[in-house]
Amino acid sequence: AGPVGLMLANLLGRRGVTTVLLEKRAGHYTLPRAISFDAETLRLFETIGLYEDLLPSLVTDLPVRYYDGRGHCFLGMSRADKPYGHSPIGSFYQPEMESVLIKGLAAVPAVNLRFGHEVTALTQAADCVGVTLVDDQGHEQRIRASYVIACDGGSSAVRTRLGIGFGGFTFDEKWLVIDTEGSSYKAQCIEIFCDPARPALTVPVQNNRRRWEFLLQPGERAAEMEDESRIRSLIARYAPGDSAAIERALVYTFHARIAEDYRCGRILLAGDAAHVMPPFAGQGLNSGMRDAANLAWKLELVWRGLADDALLDSYEQERRQHVLAMTRLALKLGRWMMPTNALLARLRGIAFTIMSYIPGRQARIDKGALIPRAVLPKGCELGPVGRGKCSGKLLVQPDITLPDGTLQRLDKLLGDGFALLGLGVNPLSQLSPADRALIVTLGAKAIQIGGAGADGLDKGGVLAKWVGRGGPRVLLIRPDRYVAVDFRPDATTSKLAPFAARVAAPASALQS
């Protein structure tokens, strides 16, 4: 019942999948840990109907500033694009995020959230997993589950029991992470101080909270660094006179590791149990949220008998490469921005000065071009390989003008399941009988944007620009908002057959 487990339970429960969420703590964790969100995470909260509840705890659209040891800003991001309809970078307060997710589960009868229950054993059979758990009174219980998803963190007991390797490395450097309340330091941006004497950073958090991080120097010990007087002396360099209350201060060692397998039979890993990365790109929690989005709809199809169990193998195939890309970015940012060698720091400054003269380079960085866009790896997307410009890409989300003149985000129109999106054409008007049967089976909602009888208009032309020229188009959108199939309407041939084959829906289910 951390953020990833809570999100996955919300997604499954909203789709009617009977789910039990087990957490050994007596309640949700009340101290901050993760702090950074991205647009995909906010989009997920919108999907489960909790975005408005989360919004008061967010600081959105945070600029990023990198400073050298002399206090000179040598790199910044202040105008990040919003292709997915939400702020691409900002901060949240994790206890409040978890409270919102728990509130969401209270309205989902399919989910049974049990605090104070620790899993002590898992036994796999051909058709189920036996789960042994002990409650906080010491009473042992057993339940049977179709599948078990381990969202139990970087030190995952489930992953260890399964004998799944967790390859990668641990950083030699240690960081002091401090969370404060009532800060008088008012900078409303993420500031990264790339001083070779002691790299540091600070992030504003809602309700006058603030995160500080400082790199430990060789020979410094955790006990001395976590002392309040030492903490205040470190903060005073950047915020003189700041008397904020210290909510938490801990020395952390960062890791870059990924599980050798995300799946063992009917048990799958998600979130930090599957991968951990250093925080320099702010993508640890967000990568776990992508896991939840990818898994939820696949588990539902398999659970309902509409897809073969083999569909779950695509989870690791689709997620691993993006996790590796995010980890590489985090490592690169750590190396570039946090050198403790004065010569390397000077060379970095020269390199970025030179790059600033490359036409368009600075503008692209200012718009957030460093972050890898979400694209499914070729050969893994559940749609025709190599056909359709948008197949395998995460759908953009513009505001759509409804017939009554009001604006609504595209996701709201599409719903939270499969969707068939027609651009300039009724998406159901020219489907083959086999394709229409698949759409009915998937329960896909049909939406037309543009053209006669449209459900809405893309007046800003965002969708048209993203899809490109070429006349009317139809997109089959997965529940996680990736484009499964991108095709031109043609009733004479099946366009969705490759997707149906990869989903492996039993013929009996399609016929019914």
Side-chain angles (χ1 to χ4, degrees):
V4 175
L6 288 166
M7 176 58 76
L8 182 55
N10 269 279
L11 289 166
L12 291 170
R14 283 173 59 88
R15 292 172 178 142
V17 180
T18 305
T19 304
V20 179
L21 180 57
L22 303 169
E23 169 57 60
K24 67 179 180 180
R25 291 190 178 94
H28 77 94
Y29 198 63
T30 56
L31 292 175
R33 290 172 293 179
I35 195 172
S36 300
F37 67 75
D38 66 10
E40 292 177 66
T41 290
L42 297 190
R43 199 172 184 180
L44 264 183
F45 274 89
E46 187 176 33
T47 296
I48 61 175
L50 297 177
Y51 174 70
E52 296 299 329
D53 295 274
L54 180 68
L55 192 56
S57 69
L58 304 179
V59 181
T60 59
D61 300 319
L62 278 174
V64 183
R65 298 282 183 266
Y66 291 89
Y67 299 92
D68 61 22
R70 297 169 297 168
H72 170 68
C73 179
F74 65 89
L75 183 68
M77 289 178 280
S78 61
R79 304 182 292 115
D81 286 337
K82 295 184 180 180
Y84 306 127
H86 289 284
S87 169
I89 186 169
S91 68
F92 63 88
Y93 186 63
Q94 184 169 332
E96 293 178 358
M97 173 183 277
E98 293 189 13
S99 294
V100 168
L101 289 166
I102 291 170
K103 174 186 174 182
L105 290 182
V108 182
V111 178
N112 180 0
L113 171 56
R114 301 186 192 179
F115 284 111
H117 285 73
E118 181 176 3
V119 174
T120 57
L122 296 169
T123 306
Q124 294 208 61
D127 61 347
C128 70
V129 182
V131 183
T132 303
L133 50 142
V134 177
D135 65 20
D136 51 11
Q137 303 299 312
H139 300 135
E140 186 175 270
Q141 305 170 47
R142 290 182 177 84
I143 59 176
R144 285 159 49 100
S146 299
Y147 293 91
V148 167
I149 316 302
C151 306
D152 55 341
S155 57
S156 171
V158 174
R159 188 189 64 238
T160 301
R161 288 192 189 105
L162 295 173
I164 296 176
F166 203 41
F169 63 91
T170 296
F171 281 70
D172 294 329
E173 299 89 350
K174 297 181 185 295
W175 287 77
L176 174 64
V177 179
I178 306 160
D179 291 287
T180 66
E181 294 181 289
S183 175
S184 61
Y185 190 70
K186 300 301 183 184
Q188 287 300 295
C189 61
I190 298 172
E191 294 185 313
I192 301 172
F193 307 106
C194 306
D195 185 350
R198 189 188 298 277
L201 63 88
T202 185
V203 182
V205 186
Q206 192 59 271
N207 297 322
N208 216 24
R209 299 185 178 99
R210 182 166 288 275
R211 164 73 56 86
W212 295 91
E213 297 184 14
F214 298 92
L215 179 66
L216 270 63
Q217 296 172 342
E220 291 179 332
R221 295 174 301 167
E224 65 176 286
M225 298 301 291
E226 292 169 1
D227 180 76
E228 182 175 351
S229 61
R230 190 61 182 276
I231 290 169
R232 295 203 180 279
S233 69
L234 291 169
I235 293 175
R237 177 179 176 186
Y238 302 101
D242 185 62
S243 59
I246 298 170
E247 182 180 14
R248 185 191 71 141
L250 287 173
V251 170
Y252 277 90
T253 301
F254 298 142
H255 309 273
R257 297 184 178 277
I258 187 167
E260 291 178 358
D261 297 292
Y262 286 14
R263 181 182 186 186
C264 178
R266 290 179 171 268
I267 304 173
L268 299 99
L269 309 177
D272 284 357
H275 43 76
V276 292
M277 63 186 71
F280 305 118
Q283 284 295 315
L285 174 134
N286 297 302
S287 292
M289 291 298 193
R290 292 186 189 96
D291 293 346
N294 189 289
L295 260 178
W297 68 271
K298 295 174 181 178
L299 284 166
E300 180 200 1
L301 288 186
V302 174
W303 184 74
R304 294 189 184 282
L306 300 179
D308 188 83
D309 171 271
L311 174 64
L312 299 179
D313 291 335
S314 67
Y315 161 58
E316 179 177 346
Q317 295 169 0
E318 293 181 348
R319 290 292 304 125
R320 180 175 287 273
Q321 289 191 28
H322 195 257
V323 166
L324 289 172
M326 286 299 187
T327 303
R328 284 192 292 269
L329 172 65
L331 293 172
K332 185 181 295 183
L333 290 175
R335 286 194 301 267
W336 286 358
M337 308 309 171
M338 301 297 179
T340 55
N341 180 286
L343 177 59
L344 289 177
R346 182 167 178 77
L347 291 174
R348 175 207 58 208
I350 294 171
F352 276 95
T353 299
I354 293 171
M355 282 196 296
S356 68
Y357 289 101
I358 300 175
R361 176 76 177 184
Q362 199 68 27
R364 288 196 298 273
I365 291 175
D366 195 34
K367 295 171 70 174
L370 289 173
I371 305 297
R373 287 289 172 88
V375 179
L376 299 179
K378 284 295 181 183
C380 290
E381 67 261 33
L382 297 172
V385 178
R387 295 184 183 179
K389 171 188 172 184
C390 301
S391 183
K393 293 184 179 179
L394 186 64
L395 180 70
V396 295
Q397 184 183 198
D399 286 333
I400 299 300
T401 304
L402 302 181
D404 64 4
T406 60
L407 293 177
Q408 191 172 90
R409 284 198 179 102
L410 177 59
D411 283 0
K412 189 75 172 178
L413 277 175
L414 298 179
D416 59 4
F418 280 93
L420 195 66
L421 177 61
L423 303 178
V425 65
N426 181 336
L428 295 174
S429 64
Q430 297 188 55
L431 290 182
S432 70
D435 286 351
R436 186 178 291 272
L438 178 64
I439 293 303
V440 171
T441 299
L442 296 175
K445 185 177 180 181
I447 296 293
Q448 180 182 341
I449 303 298
D455 298 292
L457 301 175
D458 175 25
K459 287 193 172 180
V462 175
L463 280 170
K465 182 179 178 181
W466 185 69
V467 172
R469 299 177 181 177
R473 297 277 275 281
V474 178
L475 310 178
L476 177 62
I477 311 298
R478 305 182 342 178
D480 59 3
R481 304 310 190 203
Y482 282 87
V483 177
V485 190
D486 167 11
F487 63 97
R488 291 183 175 83
D490 176 6
T492 61
T493 60
S494 172
K495 301 294 185 179
L496 304 182
F499 178 80
R502 295 188 187 194
V503 169
S508 58
L510 289 177
Q511 290 168 1
S512 64

